Amino acid sequence: MSIGFGIFLMAVGAIIAWAVPALWEVEGANWALIGYILLGAGALVTLIGIILASRSGRTSQVSRSSVDPASGTRVERTERRDDVL
């Protein structure tokens, strides 16, 4: 979700930076600066989203089941590792 929001911010920032100043002028508003700030924020949000998405894909989960010889019951063990490359 953050990657899509970052791309959205960059698109809105580009429109505001390059299209709005030529169409609409407001006293005291620097449209180009506002657009560039949104472009930078969008790039930062997209970069953070990519980093978080790549980290979440590096986990490993292993499930093992066996029968306890003493009691005869089934034992299930789940191991999760976050340090998998």
Side-chain angles (χ1 to χ4, degrees):
M1 180 169 153
S2 63
I3 296 172
F5 183 63
I7 293 171
F8 172 76
L9 281 178
M10 286 191 292
V12 170
I15 291 169
I16 289 176
W18 295 309
V20 171
L23 298 175
W24 187 31
E25 288 190 30
V26 175
E27 187 67 33
N30 188 352
W31 291 111
L33 179 63
I34 294 169
Y36 290 135
I37 290 171
L38 286 175
L39 274 167
L44 185 65
V45 168
T46 303
L47 182 65
I48 290 171
I50 290 170
I51 291 170
L52 290 177
S54 70
R55 283 192 72 204
S56 67
R58 291 179 18 188
T59 59
S60 173
Q61 185 170 346
V62 177
S63 298
R64 295 185 180 121
S65 61
S66 61
V67 177
D68 185 12
S71 64
T73 60
R74 181 178 209 155
V75 178
E76 292 192 27
R77 186 173 134 196
T78 303
E79 180 180 325
R80 183 174 182 169
R81 295 180 49 184
D82 292 333
D83 61 349
V84 177
L85 292 177

